[in-house]
């Protein structure tokens, strides 16, 4: 049995996706962009001084490998439409946005110019958080069917 859903068409992507899945797709893309911006900072700031071991045995590159795995894995989880996991994942970018806004506030209050990277990163984190929350909680029509016991749509 297949469920019928209306489709939305975005003029800039020309994709047609079921409306119940569209929120998860947008959130996954937003998280992938957030992850790319997150990784860009450490990659741009990588110097020989930072290429050391941590705790005496963890090589510096392990953090980049874990970051890349998260960058690929988290959007895949969100894309699949897991409401509970999407809600939990939203905590990460929300917390990062708060930290970034706090850091920019400290810079400005110290009389320094604000970091444009941090402002852009914070805006990306807020966008990802909002889209993850919309997908995870959604409106009445966009709730995840799996979390409500309806398995007929898959």
């Amino acid at each position: 049995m297949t469920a019928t859903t209306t489709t939305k068409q975005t003029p800039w992507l020309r994709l047609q996706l079921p409306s119940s899945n569209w929120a998860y797709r947008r959130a996954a893309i937003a998280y992938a962009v957030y992850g790319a911006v997150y990784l860009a900072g450490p990659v741009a700031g990588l110097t020989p001084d930072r290429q050391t071991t941590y705790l005496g045995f963890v090589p510096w590159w392990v953090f980049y490998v874990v970051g890349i795995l998260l960058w690929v894995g988290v959007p895949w989880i969100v894309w699949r439409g897991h409401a509970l996991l999407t809600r939990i994942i939203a905590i990460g970018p929300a917390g990062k946005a708060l930290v970034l806004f706090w850091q920019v506030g400290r810079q400005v209050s110290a009389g320094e110019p604000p970091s444009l990277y941090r402002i852009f990163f914070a805006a990306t984190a807020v966008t990802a958080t909002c889209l993850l929350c919309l997908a995870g909680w959604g409106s009445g029509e966009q709730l995840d069917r799996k979390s409500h016991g309806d398995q007929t749509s898959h």
Side-chain angles (χ1 to χ4, degrees):
M1 174 188 274
T2 29
T4 56
T5 57
T6 59
T7 57
K8 284 187 176 181
Q9 185 173 12
T10 56
W12 53 277
L13 278 179
R14 301 283 184 229
L15 289 176
Q16 287 191 347
L17 297 169
S19 62
S20 61
N21 294 331
W22 181 243
Y24 290 106
R25 305 308 193 242
R26 280 189 314 197
I29 292 167
Y31 191 91
V33 171
Y34 163 76
V37 174
Y38 200 116
L39 284 171
V43 169
L46 185 59
T47 61
D49 296 341
R50 296 185 74 186
Q51 296 177 358
T52 61
T53 59
Y54 295 93
L55 302 174
F57 65 93
V58 180
W60 62 271
W61 52 264
V62 167
F63 297 103
Y64 292 90
V65 171
V66 170
I68 290 169
L69 291 174
L70 287 171
W71 182 38
V72 172
V74 171
W76 179 78
I77 291 169
V78 173
W79 189 276
R80 296 191 37 95
H82 298 286
L84 180 60
L85 292 176
T86 300
R87 294 171 187 169
I88 293 169
I89 289 167
I91 296 168
K96 189 63 176 180
L98 290 173
V99 168
L100 289 165
F101 283 128
W102 177 74
Q103 290 172 338
V104 170
R106 285 188 54 202
Q107 282 180 315
V108 171
S109 66
E112 301 172 16
S115 165
L116 294 180
Y117 169 74
R118 284 185 179 151
I119 292 171
F120 178 72
F121 191 8
T124 305
V126 167
T127 302
T129 300
C130 291
L131 291 174
L132 286 164
C133 287
L134 283 172
W137 280 278
S139 64
E141 65 193 60
Q142 291 182 335
L143 288 175
D144 180 35
R145 292 175 189 232
K146 285 188 209 175
S147 66
H148 290 86
D150 180 11
Q151 298 294 324
T152 59
S153 64
H154 303 289

